[in-house]
């Protein structure tokens, strides 16, 4: 019998559920792509494009630690195709905001991920 806290959802189904749910959690105009990480079946790659003129794009790695808990890594921030220093207060606020949206998405999918 499988461990209750183990993630037992096929990665492609998980990515599809995230694609549907994440856009509902983001600010209006923000866009997100959710891809499967081919190296790790418990990880999704999330690319978020900020709305407006900022031309900011954020890449996150979202790894399921178990069926409910996720670990989020920021992997890149770019503006108009160029890497950006994410240490400024404004960038830290945006990153924290997107991290919160990612956690909200995972919470919204608890029924789906926790069998």
């Amino acid at each position: 019998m499988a461990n209750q806290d183990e993630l037992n959802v096929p990665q492609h189904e998980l990515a599809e559920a995230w694609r549907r749910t994440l856009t509902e959690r983001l600010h209006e105009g923000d866009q997100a792509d959710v891809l499967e990480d081919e190296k790790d079946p418990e990880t999704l790659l999330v690319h978020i494009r900020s709305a407006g003129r900022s031309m900011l794009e954020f890449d996150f790695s979202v790894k399921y630690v178990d069926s409910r808990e996720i670990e989020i890594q920021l992997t890149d921030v770019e503006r108009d195709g160029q890497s950006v220093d994410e240490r400024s207060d404004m960038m830290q606020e945006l990153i924290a905001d997107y991290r919160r949206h990612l956690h909200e998405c995972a919470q919204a999918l608890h029924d789906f991920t926790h069998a």
Side-chain angles (χ1 to χ4, degrees), residues 89-107:
D89 289 344
M90 183 199 84
M91 291 301 286
Q92 286 299 310
E93 286 177 31
L94 276 170
I95 292 164
D97 193 40
Y98 285 130
R99 289 173 66 86
R100 189 179 76 251
H101 292 310
L102 294 170
H103 279 291
E104 288 170 359
C105 184
Q107 285 179 326

Side-chain angles (χ1 to χ4, degrees), residues 42-103:
E42 274 87 44
T43 300
L44 299 173
L45 305 174
V46 180
H47 180 81
I48 299 174
R49 288 176 301 289
S50 293
R53 300 173 197 216
S54 66
M55 305 285 284
L56 287 169
E57 299 184 21
F58 299 82
D59 290 321
F60 294 94
S61 171
V62 178
K63 181 177 179 67
Y64 272 82
V65 179
D66 58 33
S67 67
R68 297 177 197 218
E69 192 67 32
I70 61 169
E71 188 177 277
I72 301 169
Q73 286 287 120
L74 175 69
T75 57
D76 193 26
V77 180
E78 292 186 353
R79 173 180 279 129
D80 205 17
Q82 301 294 313
S83 285
V84 173
D85 182 358
E86 66 265 3
R87 294 174 292 190
S88 73
D89 289 344
M90 183 199 84
M91 291 301 286
Q92 286 299 310
E93 286 177 31
L94 276 170
I95 292 164
D97 193 40
Y98 285 130
R99 289 173 66 86
R100 189 179 76 251
H101 292 310
L102 294 170
H103 279 291

Side-chain angles (χ1 to χ4, degrees), residues 3-42:
N3 177 352
Q4 280 286 21
D5 266 359
E6 217 173 272
L7 182 66
N8 290 314
V9 177
Q11 190 180 37
H12 68 278
E13 289 179 26
L14 185 62
E16 184 57 39
W18 268 77
R19 281 192 275 282
R20 285 192 310 271
T21 307
L22 184 57
T23 42
E24 300 166 3
R25 302 282 181 279
L26 295 175
H27 298 291
E28 190 174 330
D30 285 352
Q31 298 177 324
D33 297 319
V34 180
L35 304 169
E36 298 136 41
D37 184 340
E38 294 176 4
K39 298 177 200 148
D40 185 350
E42 274 87 44

